[in-house]
Amino acid sequence: MQILVINCGSSSLKFAVIDPVARTEAVNGLAQRLGSPEASITWKDASGKKQETAIAGGDHAKAMRAVYGGLKERGLAAGLAGIGHRVVHGGQLFSASMLIDEQVEKGIESCFALGPLHNPPNLLGIRICKELFPGMRQVAVFDTAFHQSMPRQAYLYPVPYAWYEQHAVRKYGFHGTSHRFVSARTIEMLGLKTEDSAVIVAHLGNGCSATAVKNGKSVDTTMGLTPLEGLVMGTRSGDIDPALIAFMCERLGKDAAKVTDLLNKQSGLIGLSGVSNDMRALLAEVDKGNDRAKLAVEVFCYRLAKSLAALAVPLGRIDALAFTGGIGENSVPVRAKVIEHLKILGFALDPARNAVSGRESKGRITTDGSTCALVVPTNEELVIALDTAGLVTG
Ligand code: AMP
C-alpha cells in the first residue's frame, strides 16, 4: 500500500510516497520558494538520486500539479491508497486524525485564527489534491491532536477566564505526531507497559518542544497557544516576560505584531549568537572560540534542562527522557550539557554511549542504574502515512 504524505507550508510543499506496512519510502521531495521566480521542486528517489526542476513563479497549485506529473512518470500515482496531510492547528475540535470531508475542512478553516501562518496553506493543499485526485480519500493529521489529553490545570493560562471562553486562549501544544511516535517507540524499546509509563520527549529541531507523556497520553507540553512558547529554538525566543513586548514596542517604536515577529524570526539561537539559527553551525563556531555562539548554546541547554525538569511534575517519576529531532538525534554536546544540568533527577551521562547516539545500547546514553535518557529518531511522515492507511482502509 502506498500513501502520499503532504506537508503544505506557506511557501513550500513537502511530499513523500510511503508504504506504511513495509515502512519504506518510494520517493520524497520538496517544492520551495513558491510564488517567487526561484520556485523549484526537488525529487529524491529511493536510490538517493536527486533531481531539481525550476517552476519559476509557481504557486502551490502548480507545484502540486508537478508532483502529480512526477508521480505519474514514476508509476506511483495510480497505486495510491490515500493522501495524508499534516495540519498544524486542530484547535479543540480535533483530538485524533480525521478522514477529510466538508465538516473537517470547515473545522480546519475555523482554526485559521489560531494558526494563521499554517492552516490556510494546509487547507489549500487539501483542496488542490481534491481536484487533482478526484475520489481519493484524504486524511488530516493534526500537530495539536495528541495534546488534547492535557488536563485543565496544564492547558489553562492564568488570565481572565473569558479569554478562554470567548477567544479559545489556552495551551494547545505542537509537534504532536512526533511526541506521539517517539513516546510510543520509547515505551516499546524499553519494554514498558503503556498504561504504567512516564516518558519525557524532547523534540529538538529548528522548532523545539518537550512533552510529558503519562501512560501514553500527553499531560503537559512546552509550546502553547502558538509555537512561540516554551524552549529556546532556532529563531524563536520561547518563554519570555510577557511585559517585554509592550516594553520593546515603546523602545523600538514598533507595533506588537512587529515585535512578535522579531520574537519568532530574530530571536532564539540566531538572536543570541548573531551567527546562525543552525545548531551544527553554532557548534562549529564554538569550536573556533566564538563566545556569542557559546552563549547561545549555553542558554539553549540551560533553559531546556529547566523545562525538562518541570515536566517531571505531572509525571511523578521519569522512566525515560527521549531526545529526538535534528539536534536531539545528532548533537552529542547538547545532549551532554542537558544531562549534566539534570543530575538532580538522577541522570548520569555515559559519554561513550552518547558519542554514538546510544546505537550500541538500544539508544541509551546514560549509565546503567541512572535515570534513562535515550535517542529515539522521529518519523512524522510515517505517522501520517500510518494514520492515513488506518483511516482509508477503515
Ligand atoms: P530538524 O528541524 O529536525 O531538521 O533539525 C534541524 C536542526 O538540527 C538544526 O539546528 C541542525 O543544525 C541540527 N542538526 C542536524 N544535524 C546535526 C548535527 N550533526 N549536530 C548538531 N546539530 C545538528
Side-chain angles (χ1 to χ4, degrees):
M1 175 192 289
Q2 302 274 38
I3 302 289
L4 174 60
V5 174
I6 298 285
N7 181 354
C8 198
S10 55
S11 64
S12 68
L13 190 158
K14 266 170 99 173
F15 60 93
V17 175
I18 295 177
D19 181 332
V21 182
R23 303 200 167 197
T24 52
E25 200 173 79
V27 72
N28 70 47
L30 173 68
Q32 53 190 337
R33 296 181 292 272
L34 296 178
S36 82
E38 294 84 35
S40 70
I41 180 161
T42 312
W43 290 79
K44 197 167 144 204
D45 289 307
S47 62
K49 200 180 97 197
K50 274 193 177 177
Q51 186 195 333
E52 185 173 348
T53 342
I55 45 166
D59 57 4
H60 290 85
K62 187 165 175 186
M64 201 58 234
R65 274 198 302 277
V67 171
Y68 179 63
L71 293 178
K72 263 170 98 175
E73 267 172 38
R74 289 167 174 81
L76 291 168
L80 291 176
I83 304 177
H85 294 265
R86 175 186 182 216
V87 179
V88 169
H89 222 305
Q92 297 193 100
L93 288 175
F94 302 110
S95 55
S97 300
M98 299 290 292
L99 209 47
I100 296 170
D101 58 13
E102 289 286 316
Q103 277 307 103
V104 171
E105 281 188 44
K106 278 197 187 128
I108 295 170
E109 199 163 1
S110 74
C111 296
F112 275 12
L114 291 168
L117 300 179
H118 297 102
N119 275 35
N122 296 161
L123 185 59
L124 181 64
I126 291 168
R127 292 192 165 145
I128 295 170
C129 283
K130 237 164 96 175
E131 278 178 35
L132 281 174
F133 300 85
M136 176 80 70
R137 297 218 263 181
Q138 303 198 64
V139 168
V141 180
F142 300 92
D143 263 28
T144 49
F146 182 58
H147 301 298
Q148 280 296 299
S149 50
M150 286 193 287
R152 276 195 315 183
Q153 64 176 11
Y155 72 68
L156 283 179
Y157 291 113
V159 294
Y161 193 70
W163 294 7
Y164 170 61
E165 289 179 308
Q166 291 164 21
H167 304 288
V169 166
R170 53 160 284 177
K171 258 170 108 83
Y172 289 95
F174 298 87
H175 292 142
T177 34
S178 178
H179 290 298
R180 172 155 66 101
F181 177 79
V182 172
S183 57
R185 185 79 191 104
T186 303
I187 287 167
E188 187 184 319
M189 283 162 72
L190 297 177
L192 302 171
K193 286 200 181 86
T194 304
E195 64 280 10
D196 180 25
S197 60
V199 172
I200 298 176
V201 178
H203 176 108
L204 311 175
N206 275 318
C208 301
S209 71
T211 296
V213 184
K214 190 172 187 176
N215 305 336
K217 293 197 162 75
S218 168
V219 287
D220 206 346
T221 192
T222 56
M223 280 179 168
L225 174 72
T226 75
L228 182 55
E229 188 182 341
L231 308 176
V232 177
M233 309 178 215
T235 63
R236 290 177 224 153
S237 63
D239 295 338
I240 50 154
D241 181 344
L244 185 153
I245 297 184
F247 183 83
M248 287 312 295
C249 283
E250 200 189 319
R251 289 291 153 131
L252 299 175
K254 293 184 190 292
D255 63 18
K258 279 265 159 45
V259 172
T260 305
D261 199 50
L262 294 174
L263 293 173
N264 267 306
K265 297 186 183 148
Q266 295 297 327
S267 299
L269 294 175
I270 181 78
L272 278 170
S273 70
V275 176
S276 176
N277 63 318
D278 187 288
M279 184 58 83
R280 213 172 346 186
L282 281 183
L283 292 170
E285 282 298 311
V286 173
D287 287 344
K288 288 188 218 155
N290 184 324
D291 192 52
R292 286 266 301 278
K294 184 165 175 255
L295 172 72
V297 177
E298 275 168 1
V299 173
F300 179 92
C301 295
Y302 171 70
R303 285 188 164 238
L304 169 59
K306 279 207 303 181
S307 298
L308 295 174
L311 291 175
V313 172
L315 292 179
R317 67 167 205 260
I318 301 172
D319 292 338
L321 162 62
F323 286 95
T324 197
I327 300 172
E329 290 167 35
N330 298 299
S331 180
V332 175
V334 167
R335 291 195 304 257
K337 273 186 211 293
V338 173
I339 294 297
E340 177 68 20
H341 284 308
L342 290 174
K343 265 187 192 153
I344 182 80
L345 295 176
F347 291 96
L349 189 77
D350 183 320
R353 287 175 173 179
N354 188 36
V356 293
S357 300
R359 275 190 296 277
E360 278 120 48
S361 47
K362 281 182 123 188
R364 190 175 178 122
I365 58 166
T366 48
T367 57
D368 294 336
S370 75
T371 309
C372 178
L374 73 175
V375 176
V376 180
T378 192
N379 195 339
E380 291 167 275
E381 286 78 16
L382 176 63
V383 180
I384 295 174
L386 283 165
D387 280 10
T388 303
L391 285 166
V392 299
T393 57

